[in-house]
Structures are given as C-alpha cells and as structure tokens.
Amino acid sequence: MRFTLEIDPLDLDQTLGCGQTFRWRRLPDGSWTGVLSDQLMTVRRNGRELHAEAFPGGAGARDLLAEHLRVGDDIGRIQRRLASDPVLRRGMGGLRGLRIVKLDEWECTVSFVLATYANIPRISKMIESLAAAYGKRIAPGIHAFPTVGRLRRASPGDLRRLGLGYRADYIHGVCAALGEDDLGRMKGMGFEELRAGLMALPGIGDKVADCASLFGFGRLEAFPIDVWMERALERLYRQKGSHARLRRFASERFGAYAGYAQEYLYYNERVLASDGACALSDK
DNA sequence: GCCCAGGAGTGTG
DNA sequence: CACACTCATGGG
C-alpha cells in the first residue's frame, strides 16, 4: 500500500539515523525502511512530500507514520521559542529537518534500557534479535517489536543468549514488574510523576527515564543527559556538575521544548563536532 | 589488541 | 552531594 504524507521540514538522515530510534535502515538510494508497530515501512522524501509504502498496509498505516514523525510539530514555532538561546539561535537553522520522533511507549522503554553502555549499531542488533526471537512475523526476516506478554516468556538466560549481557536481567525485571496496561496508565501522568514511575523500574535511571519520556511518551520538556550531552554542555555553555544540576539548567534555559534543544545539541556534538563541522558554537 | 559505548545500581566518604 | 566500583560485550 502506497500513500503520501505532507511534512516539512524533514531530513530523514538526521531524524532516523541519529540514535533516537533504532529500527530504521538507510538504503543506498537514500530512502529508509523500518518497522512501525506491525507495519514494514519504506519512505522517501520528495520536497515537502514523503512517499511511503507500507506492508501489509491498511487503514492505520498512514496515521502510524504521521504520529511517528510528529507531523503536528511546528518546527518554525519551536525554533523561534528556542532562539532566545544564543548558542542555538545561530546554528539550529541547519538542523530544521531534525525532528523528534514518537515511538511506541513500550518499545521505547525497552530500547533505551538496552541502550545503556552500548553503541548505536549494537543497540540496533539487540533489538532486532529480540524482535526475531519474540516478535510477531510481518514478512520474511521482518518482525514486529515483541509485546510485553510475549517478552515475559523469555528467561534471563534466554535473553543473555541473544547478546544482551547484563541488560538481560533488567529486561526480565521490567517485564515482571509491568502489568498489561501500566505504561498505558502512565500516559496520563504529569512529567515528574511519569519520570518517577519509570525510574521505579529496574534498569531505568534518569537518562533512560528521560529518553522514554521524550521519545516514547512524547514529553518535549524532557532533556536526557548522556556523555555526549555532558560534553556539549561543558563545551558550549561551560556547565558542569551533577545530572540533576544540568537538567535544571536545561529546564530553565529551554523550557517546554528542551527535548528539541537536546536533540540539536546531541546531533551537533556527536555527528558534527567530530568532523569539525559544528552548526552550533558559543562564539 | 585497544577503546568506548545515548548507564544503572550499590556502596562509601 | 560527590566519587568509586562493578556489571558484560561487541563495534569501530
């Protein structure tokens, strides 16, 4: 099933390849393919339009992609709000196509538990292994992300054999701790309550809770801090200290769109700074 | 071989 | 609050 989505601005390479989401793959022609819920999606940008193909397709496929790419986000408005910060003001124009992604709450939570102390290629591999072993089959070699109920059947030993390492015990513990609709009820919580609820789960500290809040629950005020963000905050803002202190700094400075600020800073630091091609600078 | 990775948990000053 | 240490492993 083919369809078209109007969305602008959008840079697929920046949005899908920068570590917010782990199941998209870039094809040599510049299109991207990945699994959303129970759909295999392939997308290609053409100006303001995104041409998509979904398999098996169906009524919900279009909404699924639209929600995933947050078509409702007004990037111009968000950047005008963030322009009160001089560091972002100068360089973020080049990152207008870098959109925050909206993932399924459960998939996102598990993905970022797996992301602890692993690099992005390995995170992708662990997720694909989980899907292949426990996810519903969509097409040959393509599987949906496993539901809580299916993943609950995996023992810690099973999960270790999939290459998860010590994360196997965390995933097992999260499955055991969650009732069927616990995450569903958390959608209605305020940010701090949601964050505390997530951090009550095994393997979820403040970084993972903020990633799940931002990319899974769609809370744009969340500001995940990892080693790249520590580097960016020190290099561009001369800010050091505990994560609690850095989060307060970010909250006061970036407000309701801290998540977008974080993504710009993260992308700039991880992808561009190593090439000396920074979009953002403190000068 | 070496270094590091979108950290968390626990224990100690 | 800060720091130290362990956890297990593969990708570049």
Side-chain angles (χ1 to χ4, degrees), chain A residues 3 9 22 58-59 61-62 69 89 153 167-168 173 183 199 233 244:
Chain A
F3 60 92
F22 304 103
R62 181 198 173 85
L69 295 173
R89 180 165 55 228
R153 299 205 286 263
R167 305 165 194 84
L183 290 183
M199 288 178 65
L233 290 172

Side-chain angles (χ1 to χ4, degrees), chain A residues 56-94:
Chain A
R62 181 198 173 85
D63 287 347
L64 205 58
L65 184 62
E67 181 189 14
H68 180 63
L69 295 173
R70 300 188 59 113
V71 289
D73 283 356
D74 182 342
I75 302 299
R77 177 179 143 80
I78 289 168
Q79 292 211 342
R80 281 193 294 280
R81 166 66 182 79
L82 293 176
S84 59
D85 176 70
V87 173
L88 292 177
R89 180 165 55 228
R90 299 185 72 255
M92 68 182 166

